Amino acid sequence: MSSTRTLGPFQVSPIGLGCMNLSHAYGQPPAFEQAERLLLQALDEGVTLFDTAALYGFGANETLVGQVLAKHRQKFVLASKCGMQGVQFSDGIRRVIDGRPATLRATCEDSLRRLQTDVIDLYYLHRWDKQVPIEESVGALGDLVHAGKIRSVGLSEVSAATLRRANAEFQITALQTEYSLWTRNPEIAVLDACRDLGVAFVAFSPLARGFLPGTLGSVDGLDAKDIRRAMPRFTPGNHATNLALLNGLREVAAEAGCSLAQLSLAWLLHRAPHIIPIPGTTSAEHLSENLGALAVNLSAAQMAKLDALMPSNAAAGARYNSINQTEVDTEDF
């Protein structure tokens, strides 16, 4: 397995780091000192792709990444996202999807300031604002490339058809969406479209939001603000059903001499050379464990067994609830 993978004009580590967990989504985030140690550990252990977004912590995650990593800026590829961010209303900050060119330009300036950098290497449209033609939003991002504010353009949670429309407007470097053993939707069309267009596929939640490592246990103890509480797969009934899926995976992991987390990441790395998973974590131990997946070699027979154990319809429950599902453009089984 190659020591790097191609991300547009960049060569990056085959496994990147999703930084969201350090500020957002899974309950109380870690203290600054712990988050700082984890980011620097990732850099020391060879991670060269760091992924954040304006949405995460409503700017807090970009601020964290900027404070910790700005002095190491030449050592890694920096990815962030626009088009979905927190907006202050009279009753507090709410998440808003807004893909209008003026908003994207303003968000980029805010991100550059928080990240303490002159240029963002890869800037994704976090969600396609369906009130704005994809060509209009992507054209605005292309203008940011020409202006030297960003180096390349990405898309998140879009279909193959939308990717092709966007790529006709401006070269897309990467498409990011959820992909793991229990979320196989990208196999419908997006993976092939990325390959055909020379677009990297960045897999977020490659460990199924903490499910695949087998350490989650009961969902009853999840923090009140944990986003998984609103996800159908993590309702107590569906979660109990899904836990049975891990039994077969444990057998393959034992045969391969690795953990469940390493097996899950190795499966992705073996699927295709244009796939780059970006697991997130707040744990130094889990970070090292995840990167250990690079040393796991899976045979064709083991890959086939994993596909049989976790087919497209294996997981009980939908990926998103009905409201969040309307916000994405991905194909569904």
Side-chain angles (χ1 to χ4, degrees):
M1 187 180 298
S2 172
S3 60
T4 62
R5 296 211 163 182
T6 299
L7 185 71
F10 313 106
Q11 292 296 308
V12 299
S13 53
I15 296 176
L17 180 69
C19 300
M20 180 181 76
N21 305 45
L22 300 175
S23 307
H24 182 84
Y26 296 110
Q28 183 65 31
F32 173 81
E33 292 76 13
Q34 180 183 342
E36 178 182 38
R37 285 194 298 271
L38 189 123
L39 289 170
L40 293 175
Q41 176 190 342
L43 200 62
D44 288 342
E45 294 195 24
V47 174
T48 60
L49 173 61
F50 290 78
D51 182 280
T52 181
L55 177 71
Y56 302 159
F58 300 137
N61 197 244
E62 287 184 325
T63 299
L64 168 68
V65 170
Q67 287 178 333
V68 175
L69 296 180
K71 68 185 72 173
H72 307 286
R73 185 64 184 84
Q74 302 307 312
K75 297 180 181 178
F76 65 93
V77 171
L78 175 62
S80 193
K81 308 179 195 73
C82 61
M84 183 164 65
Q85 57 275 329
V87 175
Q88 182 70 55
F89 292 87
S90 59
D91 59 346
I93 299 178
R94 297 205 303 266
R95 187 184 71 166
V96 172
I97 295 174
D98 186 346
R100 293 174 296 175
T103 301
L104 303 185
R105 289 192 293 268
T107 305
C108 182
E109 293 297 335
D110 290 340
S111 293
L112 289 168
R113 173 179 49 80
R114 288 190 292 258
L115 290 163
Q116 300 184 33
T117 187
D118 294 328
V119 63
I120 297 168
D121 297 315
L122 173 58
Y123 205 41
Y124 291 93
L125 186 67
H126 204 162
R127 290 291 186 275
W128 173 30
D129 178 354
K130 296 172 186 177
Q131 304 304 309
V132 180
I134 191 65
E135 292 85 355
E136 193 172 322
S137 295
V138 168
L141 296 181
D143 290 341
L144 289 174
V145 173
H146 295 313
K149 303 287 186 179
I150 67 176
R151 290 195 170 104
S152 63
V153 175
L155 298 173
S156 178
E157 294 276 43
V158 300
S159 65
T162 301
L163 169 62
R164 292 183 187 280
R165 283 176 54 194
N167 195 70
E169 178 68 26
F170 193 88
Q171 175 65 53
I172 302 300
T173 285
L175 185 150
Q176 177 175 140
T177 194
E178 184 174 354
Y179 188 33
S180 69
L181 276 164
W182 85 340
T183 298
R184 307 292 292 271
N185 306 57
E187 295 171 9
I188 298 172
V190 159
L191 274 178
D192 287 345
C194 285
R195 182 199 60 215
D196 294 346
L197 296 172
V199 174
F201 181 92
V202 176
F204 76 74
S205 296
L207 297 178
R209 304 183 187 277
F211 170 77
L212 285 171
T215 56
L216 182 58
S218 171
V219 294
D220 294 333
L222 293 178
D223 187 273
K225 295 184 179 180
D226 192 307
I227 61 172
R228 290 173 290 189
R229 284 194 171 274
M231 294 179 171
R233 290 183 182 179
F234 292 95
T235 62
N238 284 338
H239 181 62
T241 300
N242 288 329
L243 285 175
L245 296 170
L246 297 177
N247 295 329
L249 301 188
R250 288 191 177 95
E251 295 179 8
V252 182
E255 183 182 305
C258 65
S259 69
L260 282 173
Q262 290 169 340
L263 179 75
S264 303
L265 293 169
W267 176 83
L268 280 170
L269 294 170
H270 283 68
R271 292 290 293 177
H274 65 297
I275 296 173
I276 304 168
I278 51 167
T281 185
T282 61
S283 162
E285 179 183 356
H286 290 164
L287 172 61
S288 295
E289 177 186 354
N290 291 344
L291 296 176
L294 295 170
V296 175
N297 292 309
L298 299 176
S299 68
Q302 289 168 332
M303 290 290 289
K305 186 173 183 179
L306 290 171
D307 288 340
L309 287 167
M310 296 285 276
S312 60
N313 60 350
R319 183 163 76 99
Y320 287 130
N321 61 32
S322 57
I323 294 175
N324 293 141
Q325 186 61 40
T326 65
E327 298 175 345
V328 301
D329 176 53
T330 49
E331 292 89 356
D332 205 358
F333 288 104

